[in-house]
Amino acid sequence: MKVAAKDNDVKGHVPVLLLTHQFSISTSTIRNALGSTHATIGSRKLCLIVFTQFEPITELQGDELYQAWCECALCHYVLWKAGIHHRDVSCANLMRDGRMGVLHDFDLACLTPSDKPLGNERTGMILFMAIHLLQQDGQAGKVKHLYRHDMESFIWLYIWICCQYKDGKLRPIGPLDNWAQLDATQCAMQKHDFLLTAELPPGISNGKLIRKFKAFLVEEVVSRDATRVRLDAAQDSLSDEQQPAETGQLQQKIERLKVEVDEKSEDVIFTEFALMIGFDRKRIEAKVAEAVKRYSQEMQAQ
């Protein structure tokens, strides 16, 4: 991969392709045969790919798990800046090769998507998807898949492993078992409740770090949603008849709330995320500056 050749935070952290073969029959062919009216939407072709065998990240624990997870998160950001958007962060797609974390399976990845939402046909595994992508608008394809959605998936993945695995093995009965039985909307509600519940499931590992993750997502997801509700209410009030002084105060409030709900750049989001999980500030600021400079120039040159 060209990016891996230029960036040590990607080199060794993505799999090397050994063999590939694409079959000619697509899902649209099958859908046409079945009489589907939307046969070509999200059409795919079966592709056989062979890689080196890796160690599943779920078999790791403690510092080994955390290190591999962090390495994959950093690799993911660099690839995102290079225009390779993974969009399917899950337990099956994070591995380890010896001592290095490996971000695997780019089947649902896309190259520098448009500014418009791409629909919900190719969004990933419900268990690890971001709350906004699981909600009604997200499932209807009205929400653009952003970097912060994959970042949130990294957090849900780590929480899942800590809650559902012990000593590298799946618990017979895990505290989050019911999440795997829910549809997208129900899973979003369960995740929302999990974030706002002070107690953690008993017996899980890395509880201190999970509480930090919860606080981070409460600020990035729940609090922003609450601010959007207050903004909508303020705009509704502005449409009612108001005294001039009240109108001025409302307008100031609306402008302040708009600033609070403005979408942060992927670089700001990544920096906050990376510092929260323990990366050195100087290293991350240098990495962001390098990625912005290098890949912005490459995008413009294309």
Side-chain angles (χ1 to χ4, degrees), residues 251-267:
Q251 288 175 334
Q252 292 178 2
K253 180 179 181 180
I254 288 171
E255 293 306 314
R256 175 176 56 80
L257 292 173
K258 283 182 177 179
V259 171
E260 292 180 17
V261 300
D262 274 349
E263 195 69 54
K264 297 178 182 178
S265 74
E266 56 201 29
D267 304 310

Side-chain angles (χ1 to χ4, degrees), residues 1-2 4-5 10-20 49-54 95 97 100-106:
M1 183 183 287
K2 293 181 179 180
V10 176
K11 185 177 182 180
H13 298 290
V14 291
V16 176
L17 182 63
L18 302 178
L19 175 69
T20 180
I49 50 179
V50 179
F51 299 102
T52 302
Q53 184 174 0
F54 300 113
M95 304 280 187
D97 181 15
M100 302 179 72
V102 177
L103 182 62
H104 207 295
D105 194 351
F106 289 79

Side-chain angles (χ1 to χ4, degrees), residues 155 158-159 162 194-195 197-201 204-218 276:
I155 294 177
Y158 194 89
I159 290 173
C162 291
F194 179 86
L195 293 179
T197 301
E199 297 80 10
L200 292 177
I204 67 172
S205 59
N206 300 319
K208 184 177 180 180
L209 184 58
I210 291 178
R211 279 189 285 271
K212 183 186 290 188
F213 286 169
K214 288 177 63 175
F216 183 77
L217 288 183
V218 166
M276 185 267 297

Side-chain angles (χ1 to χ4, degrees), residues 59-196:
E59 294 183 2
L60 307 179
Q61 51 187 315
D63 292 342
E64 288 186 338
L65 168 63
Y66 191 65
Q67 180 180 344
W69 178 82
C70 287
E71 290 172 347
C72 290
L74 182 54
C75 172
H76 173 278
Y77 165 75
V78 176
L79 291 175
W80 190 282
K81 294 302 294 182
I84 304 169
H85 297 185
H86 192 281
R87 305 195 309 154
D88 187 21
V89 176
S90 68
C91 285
N93 296 340
L94 267 66
M95 304 280 187
R96 188 176 72 162
D97 181 15
R99 296 182 178 181
M100 302 179 72
V102 177
L103 182 62
H104 207 295
D105 194 351
F106 289 79
D107 181 54
L108 299 188
C110 62
L111 300 178
T112 316
S114 68
D115 290 334
K116 297 180 180 180
L118 299 179
N120 69 333
E121 182 101 12
R122 300 164 60 83
T123 49
M125 190 173 180
I126 285 177
L127 281 174
F128 310 112
M129 285 172 61
I131 289 176
H132 287 158
L133 295 179
L134 292 173
Q135 292 171 337
Q136 186 175 356
D137 282 351
Q139 288 298 294
K142 298 178 181 179
V143 177
K144 181 185 176 183
H145 195 125
L146 303 172
Y147 167 76
R148 65 177 174 84
H149 295 134
D150 273 15
M151 177 212 68
E152 187 180 332
S153 292
F154 268 100
I155 294 177
W156 289 121
L157 180 153
Y158 194 89
I159 290 173
W160 177 264
I161 293 176
C162 291
C163 290
Q164 297 295 103
Y165 288 80
K166 183 177 182 180
D167 299 329
K169 295 182 179 180
L170 185 66
R171 296 174 185 264
I173 300 177
L176 305 182
D177 280 349
N178 66 312
W179 286 17
Q181 303 169 11
L182 303 174
D183 63 23
T185 303
Q186 293 169 333
C187 191
M189 295 173 63
Q190 285 290 310
K191 289 180 175 181
H192 190 278
D193 291 345
F194 179 86
L195 293 179
L196 296 181

Side-chain angles (χ1 to χ4, degrees), residues 237-238 241-253:
S237 297
L238 188 62
E241 292 185 5
Q242 303 284 343
Q243 297 295 325
E246 295 176 342
T247 299
Q249 292 174 352
L250 269 175
Q251 288 175 334
Q252 292 178 2
K253 180 179 181 180

